[in-house]
Amino acid sequence: MISLSGIDFDHQLLPDSLTYLLLWMGLALSLADVLIGPRDALLGAILGYVCLWVVYHAFRLLTGKEGMGHGDFKLLAALGAWVGWQLLPLIVVLSALTGAIVGIALLASRKSERGQPIPFGPFLAMAGWVALLFGDDLLQKYLVLSGLASG
């Protein structure tokens, strides 16, 4: 994840060799129920990819521009294979929120110009790491605070 973040930050590229390795490792570990089971890992990988694929194409249809690279789809698919489909919304929200805050800060400090692309991979990686370590607890706290579950 650190390598992917650094490469994306420097080159705006998430190499397939690393994202696929991460994806296949997550799927393989799920066969032994290390973090999650194979069903949740497979659904996480599929839904992770499709989620950003839909966002990409909707943005492109609305604006005529590409809003992210295909590596971002693959990275979210890999993260889904590690944490399961249940934590994908947490990853998407955390990465989008963090990316927006950093983007606004860069614009305000004039370290970035409007329209200049900001790599999304580092934000996905950070959110994926948070989800892997604290995702179940964060999701449970959210459900309790929102009244959707009892504490």
Side-chain angles (χ1 to χ4, degrees), residues 16-38:
D16 285 348
S17 58
L18 295 177
T19 53
Y20 287 151
L21 176 63
L22 197 61
L23 171 69
W24 290 115
M25 284 175 56
L27 291 173
L29 287 173
S30 76
L31 293 174
D33 286 314
V34 172
L35 296 171
I36 58 173

PDB file of all heavy atoms in Angstrom, residues 16-38:
ATOM      1  N   ASP A  16      -0.569  -2.293 -12.333  1.00  0.00           N
ATOM      2  CA  ASP A  16      -1.347  -3.531 -12.267  1.00  0.00           C
ATOM      3  C   ASP A  16      -0.607  -4.618 -11.499  1.00  0.00           C
ATOM      4  O   ASP A  16      -1.223  -5.398 -10.769  1.00  0.00           O
ATOM      5  CB  ASP A  16      -1.666  -4.043 -13.676  1.00  0.00           C
ATOM      6  CG  ASP A  16      -2.745  -3.236 -14.368  1.00  0.00           C
ATOM      7  OD1 ASP A  16      -3.424  -2.422 -13.700  1.00  0.00           O
ATOM      8  OD2 ASP A  16      -2.912  -3.404 -15.595  1.00  0.00           O
ATOM      9  N   SER A  17       0.709  -4.681 -11.647  1.00  0.00           N
ATOM     10  CA  SER A  17       1.464  -5.751 -10.982  1.00  0.00           C
ATOM     11  C   SER A  17       1.286  -5.696  -9.468  1.00  0.00           C
ATOM     12  O   SER A  17       1.222  -6.741  -8.813  1.00  0.00           O
ATOM     13  CB  SER A  17       2.947  -5.659 -11.347  1.00  0.00           C
ATOM     14  OG  SER A  17       3.477  -4.395 -10.974  1.00  0.00           O
ATOM     15  N   LEU A  18       1.151  -4.492  -8.900  1.00  0.00           N
ATOM     16  CA  LEU A  18       0.959  -4.371  -7.456  1.00  0.00           C
ATOM     17  C   LEU A  18      -0.507  -4.486  -7.054  1.00  0.00           C
ATOM     18  O   LEU A  18      -0.818  -5.131  -6.043  1.00  0.00           O
ATOM     19  CB  LEU A  18       1.539  -3.048  -6.952  1.00  0.00           C
ATOM     20  CG  LEU A  18       3.054  -2.890  -7.075  1.00  0.00           C
ATOM     21  CD1 LEU A  18       3.494  -1.513  -6.602  1.00  0.00           C
ATOM     22  CD2 LEU A  18       3.771  -3.975  -6.303  1.00  0.00           C
ATOM     23  N   THR A  19      -1.401  -3.881  -7.823  1.00  0.00           N
ATOM     24  CA  THR A  19      -2.816  -3.956  -7.444  1.00  0.00           C
ATOM     25  C   THR A  19      -3.342  -5.377  -7.607  1.00  0.00           C
ATOM     26  O   THR A  19      -4.096  -5.858  -6.759  1.00  0.00           O
ATOM     27  CB  THR A  19      -3.689  -2.969  -8.242  1.00  0.00           C
ATOM     28  OG1 THR A  19      -3.482  -3.148  -9.642  1.00  0.00           O
ATOM     29  CG2 THR A  19      -3.401  -1.529  -7.858  1.00  0.00           C
ATOM     30  N   TYR A  20      -2.924  -6.064  -8.661  1.00  0.00           N
ATOM     31  CA  TYR A  20      -3.377  -7.449  -8.841  1.00  0.00           C
ATOM     32  C   TYR A  20      -2.792  -8.361  -7.770  1.00  0.00           C
ATOM     33  O   TYR A  20      -3.458  -9.278  -7.289  1.00  0.00           O
ATOM     34  CB  TYR A  20      -3.027  -7.973 -10.231  1.00  0.00           C
ATOM     35  CG  TYR A  20      -3.878  -7.388 -11.341  1.00  0.00           C
ATOM     36  CD1 TYR A  20      -3.380  -7.259 -12.625  1.00  0.00           C
ATOM     37  CD2 TYR A  20      -5.186  -6.957 -11.110  1.00  0.00           C
ATOM     38  CE1 TYR A  20      -4.154  -6.731 -13.650  1.00  0.00           C
ATOM     39  CE2 TYR A  20      -5.958  -6.428 -12.118  1.00  0.00           C
ATOM     40  CZ  TYR A  20      -5.440  -6.318 -13.389  1.00  0.00           C
ATOM     41  OH  TYR A  20      -6.205  -5.803 -14.400  1.00  0.00           O
ATOM     42  N   LEU A  21      -1.533  -8.124  -7.392  1.00  0.00           N
ATOM     43  CA  LEU A  21      -0.923  -8.915  -6.321  1.00  0.00           C
ATOM     44  C   LEU A  21      -1.729  -8.751  -5.030  1.00  0.00           C
ATOM     45  O   LEU A  21      -2.045  -9.730  -4.354  1.00  0.00           O
ATOM     46  CB  LEU A  21       0.526  -8.482  -6.103  1.00  0.00           C
ATOM     47  CG  LEU A  21       1.265  -9.158  -4.947  1.00  0.00           C
ATOM     48  CD1 LEU A  21       1.405 -10.656  -5.176  1.00  0.00           C
ATOM     49  CD2 LEU A  21       2.627  -8.508  -4.751  1.00  0.00           C
ATOM     50  N   LEU A  22      -2.086  -7.530  -4.718  1.00  0.00           N
ATOM     51  CA  LEU A  22      -2.882  -7.245  -3.528  1.00  0.00           C
ATOM     52  C   LEU A  22      -4.259  -7.921  -3.621  1.00  0.00           C
ATOM     53  O   LEU A  22      -4.739  -8.513  -2.659  1.00  0.00           O
ATOM     54  CB  LEU A  22      -3.033  -5.728  -3.379  1.00  0.00           C
ATOM     55  CG  LEU A  22      -3.470  -5.168  -2.051  1.00  0.00           C
ATOM     56  CD1 LEU A  22      -2.485  -5.515  -0.952  1.00  0.00           C
ATOM     57  CD2 LEU A  22      -3.606  -3.653  -2.163  1.00  0.00           C
ATOM     58  N   LEU A  23      -4.872  -7.852  -4.798  1.00  0.00           N
ATOM     59  CA  LEU A  23      -6.182  -8.484  -5.020  1.00  0.00           C
ATOM     60  C   LEU A  23      -6.096  -9.992  -4.820  1.00  0.00           C
ATOM     61  O   LEU A  23      -6.879 -10.577  -4.058  1.00  0.00           O
ATOM     62  CB  LEU A  23      -6.684  -8.163  -6.431  1.00  0.00           C
ATOM     63  CG  LEU A  23      -7.926  -8.913  -6.889  1.00  0.00           C
ATOM     64  CD1 LEU A  23      -9.157  -8.462  -6.120  1.00  0.00           C
ATOM     65  CD2 LEU A  23      -8.138  -8.732  -8.386  1.00  0.00           C
ATOM     66  N   TRP A  24      -5.138 -10.638  -5.486  1.00  0.00           N
ATOM     67  CA  TRP A  24      -5.027 -12.095  -5.411  1.00  0.00           C
ATOM     68  C   TRP A  24      -4.637 -12.563  -4.018  1.00  0.00           C
ATOM     69  O   TRP A  24      -5.095 -13.612  -3.559  1.00  0.00           O
ATOM     70  CB  TRP A  24      -4.058 -12.628  -6.467  1.00  0.00           C
ATOM     71  CG  TRP A  24      -4.611 -12.511  -7.846  1.00  0.00           C
ATOM     72  CD1 TRP A  24      -4.135 -11.746  -8.867  1.00  0.00           C
ATOM     73  CD2 TRP A  24      -5.787 -13.153  -8.359  1.00  0.00           C
ATOM     74  NE1 TRP A  24      -4.941 -11.878  -9.979  1.00  0.00           N
ATOM     75  CE2 TRP A  24      -5.955 -12.736  -9.691  1.00  0.00           C
ATOM     76  CE3 TRP A  24      -6.715 -14.046  -7.812  1.00  0.00           C
ATOM     77  CZ2 TRP A  24      -7.008 -13.184 -10.490  1.00  0.00           C
ATOM     78  CZ3 TRP A  24      -7.772 -14.487  -8.610  1.00  0.00           C
ATOM     79  CH2 TRP A  24      -7.907 -14.054  -9.927  1.00  0.00           C
ATOM     80  N   MET A  25      -3.803 -11.783  -3.313  1.00  0.00           N
ATOM     81  CA  MET A  25      -3.445 -12.150  -1.937  1.00  0.00           C
ATOM     82  C   MET A  25      -4.680 -12.107  -1.035  1.00  0.00           C
ATOM     83  O   MET A  25      -4.886 -13.000  -0.207  1.00  0.00           O
ATOM     84  CB  MET A  25      -2.368 -11.208  -1.398  1.00  0.00           C
ATOM     85  CG  MET A  25      -0.984 -11.481  -1.942  1.00  0.00           C
ATOM     86  SD  MET A  25       0.254 -10.256  -1.407  1.00  0.00           S
ATOM     87  CE  MET A  25       0.125 -10.340   0.352  1.00  0.00           C
ATOM     88  N   GLY A  26      -5.507 -11.071  -1.192  1.00  0.00           N
ATOM     89  CA  GLY A  26      -6.725 -10.974  -0.391  1.00  0.00           C
ATOM     90  C   GLY A  26      -7.676 -12.124  -0.672  1.00  0.00           C
ATOM     91  O   GLY A  26      -8.246 -12.716   0.256  1.00  0.00           O
ATOM     92  N   LEU A  27      -7.846 -12.456  -1.946  1.00  0.00           N
ATOM     93  CA  LEU A  27      -8.729 -13.568  -2.301  1.00  0.00           C
ATOM     94  C   LEU A  27      -8.174 -14.896  -1.790  1.00  0.00           C
ATOM     95  O   LEU A  27      -8.922 -15.728  -1.271  1.00  0.00           O
ATOM     96  CB  LEU A  27      -8.936 -13.616  -3.820  1.00  0.00           C
ATOM     97  CG  LEU A  27      -9.758 -12.466  -4.415  1.00  0.00           C
ATOM     98  CD1 LEU A  27      -9.742 -12.542  -5.941  1.00  0.00           C
ATOM     99  CD2 LEU A  27     -11.179 -12.459  -3.880  1.00  0.00           C
ATOM    100  N   ALA A  28      -6.851 -15.095  -1.918  1.00  0.00           N
ATOM    101  CA  ALA A  28      -6.241 -16.345  -1.453  1.00  0.00           C
ATOM    102  C   ALA A  28      -6.369 -16.489   0.068  1.00  0.00           C
ATOM    103  O   ALA A  28      -6.708 -17.563   0.564  1.00  0.00           O
ATOM    104  CB  ALA A  28      -4.773 -16.399  -1.871  1.00  0.00           C
ATOM    105  N   LEU A  29      -6.121 -15.418   0.799  1.00  0.00           N
ATOM    106  CA  LEU A  29      -6.246 -15.484   2.259  1.00  0.00           C
ATOM    107  C   LEU A  29      -7.681 -15.761   2.695  1.00  0.00           C
ATOM    108  O   LEU A  29      -7.909 -16.396   3.720  1.00  0.00           O
ATOM    109  CB  LEU A  29      -5.739 -14.189   2.898  1.00  0.00           C
ATOM    110  CG  LEU A  29      -4.226 -13.991   2.884  1.00  0.00           C
ATOM    111  CD1 LEU A  29      -3.865 -12.605   3.384  1.00  0.00           C
ATOM    112  CD2 LEU A  29      -3.535 -15.068   3.707  1.00  0.00           C
ATOM    113  N   SER A  30      -8.634 -15.308   1.896  1.00  0.00           N
ATOM    114  CA  SER A  30     -10.035 -15.544   2.249  1.00  0.00           C
ATOM    115  C   SER A  30     -10.390 -17.026   2.180  1.00  0.00           C
ATOM    116  O   SER A  30     -11.292 -17.481   2.876  1.00  0.00           O
ATOM    117  CB  SER A  30     -10.968 -14.734   1.345  1.00  0.00           C
ATOM    118  OG  SER A  30     -11.083 -15.313   0.056  1.00  0.00           O
ATOM    119  N   LEU A  31      -9.673 -17.781   1.360  1.00  0.00           N
ATOM    120  CA  LEU A  31      -9.936 -19.221   1.264  1.00  0.00           C
ATOM    121  C   LEU A  31      -9.640 -19.928   2.578  1.00  0.00           C
ATOM    122  O   LEU A  31     -10.210 -20.975   2.871  1.00  0.00           O
ATOM    123  CB  LEU A  31      -9.117 -19.845   0.130  1.00  0.00           C
ATOM    124  CG  LEU A  31      -9.510 -19.398  -1.278  1.00  0.00           C
ATOM    125  CD1 LEU A  31      -8.531 -19.972  -2.293  1.00  0.00           C
ATOM    126  CD2 LEU A  31     -10.942 -19.799  -1.599  1.00  0.00           C
ATOM    127  N   ALA A  32      -8.736 -19.343   3.378  1.00  0.00           N
ATOM    128  CA  ALA A  32      -8.412 -19.899   4.691  1.00  0.00           C
ATOM    129  C   ALA A  32      -9.139 -19.137   5.797  1.00  0.00           C
ATOM    130  O   ALA A  32      -8.825 -19.337   6.972  1.00  0.00           O
ATOM    131  CB  ALA A  32      -6.904 -19.842   4.908  1.00  0.00           C
ATOM    132  N   ASP A  33     -10.088 -18.281   5.431  1.00  0.00           N
ATOM    133  CA  ASP A  33     -10.850 -17.474   6.398  1.00  0.00           C
ATOM    134  C   ASP A  33      -9.937 -16.687   7.337  1.00  0.00           C
ATOM    135  O   ASP A  33     -10.203 -16.587   8.530  1.00  0.00           O
ATOM    136  CB  ASP A  33     -11.815 -18.341   7.217  1.00  0.00           C
ATOM    137  CG  ASP A  33     -13.013 -18.783   6.404  1.00  0.00           C
ATOM    138  OD1 ASP A  33     -13.597 -17.937   5.701  1.00  0.00           O
ATOM    139  OD2 ASP A  33     -13.360 -19.977   6.472  1.00  0.00           O
ATOM    140  N   VAL A  34      -8.847 -16.120   6.793  1.00  0.00           N
ATOM    141  CA  VAL A  34      -7.896 -15.386   7.621  1.00  0.00           C
ATOM    142  C   VAL A  34      -8.537 -14.105   8.166  1.00  0.00           C
ATOM    143  O   VAL A  34      -8.530 -13.868   9.366  1.00  0.00           O
ATOM    144  CB  VAL A  34      -6.600 -15.071   6.843  1.00  0.00           C
ATOM    145  CG1 VAL A  34      -5.699 -14.144   7.627  1.00  0.00           C
ATOM    146  CG2 VAL A  34      -5.876 -16.364   6.484  1.00  0.00           C
ATOM    147  N   LEU A  35      -9.072 -13.274   7.325  1.00  0.00           N
ATOM    148  CA  LEU A  35      -9.758 -12.049   7.753  1.00  0.00           C
ATOM    149  C   LEU A  35     -11.260 -12.144   7.514  1.00  0.00           C
ATOM    150  O   LEU A  35     -12.053 -11.764   8.359  1.00  0.00           O
ATOM    151  CB  LEU A  35      -9.194 -10.825   7.015  1.00  0.00           C
ATOM    152  CG  LEU A  35      -7.734 -10.488   7.297  1.00  0.00           C
ATOM    153  CD1 LEU A  35      -7.237  -9.409   6.353  1.00  0.00           C
ATOM    154  CD2 LEU A  35      -7.567 -10.045   8.745  1.00  0.00           C
ATOM    155  N   ILE A  36     -11.605 -12.603   6.331  1.00  0.00           N
ATOM    156  CA  ILE A  36     -13.007 -12.777   5.935  1.00  0.00           C
ATOM    157  C   ILE A  36     -13.105 -14.042   5.098  1.00  0.00           C
ATOM    158  O   ILE A  36     -12.087 -14.594   4.681  1.00  0.00           O
ATOM    159  CB  ILE A  36     -13.525 -11.559   5.119  1.00  0.00           C
ATOM    160  CG1 ILE A  36     -12.665 -11.330   3.876  1.00  0.00           C
ATOM    161  CG2 ILE A  36     -13.583 -10.315   5.985  1.00  0.00           C
ATOM    162  CD1 ILE A  36     -13.204 -10.276   2.936  1.00  0.00           C
ATOM    163  N   GLY A  37     -14.319 -14.469   4.853  1.00  0.00           N
ATOM    164  CA  GLY A  37     -14.524 -15.660   4.040  1.00  0.00           C
ATOM    165  C   GLY A  37     -14.485 -15.353   2.554  1.00  0.00           C
ATOM    166  O   GLY A  37     -14.520 -14.193   2.134  1.00  0.00           O
ATOM    167  N   PRO A  38     -14.408 -16.387   1.731  1.00  0.00           N
ATOM    168  CA  PRO A  38     -14.299 -16.208   0.283  1.00  0.00           C
ATOM    169  C   PRO A  38     -15.492 -15.491  -0.349  1.00  0.00           C
ATOM    170  O   PRO A  38     -15.314 -14.710  -1.286  1.00  0.00           O
ATOM    171  CB  PRO A  38     -14.156 -17.621  -0.268  1.00  0.00           C
ATOM    172  CG  PRO A  38     -14.310 -18.542   0.862  1.00  0.00           C
ATOM    173  CD  PRO A  38     -14.329 -17.782   2.128  1.00  0.00           C
TER     174      PRO A  38
END
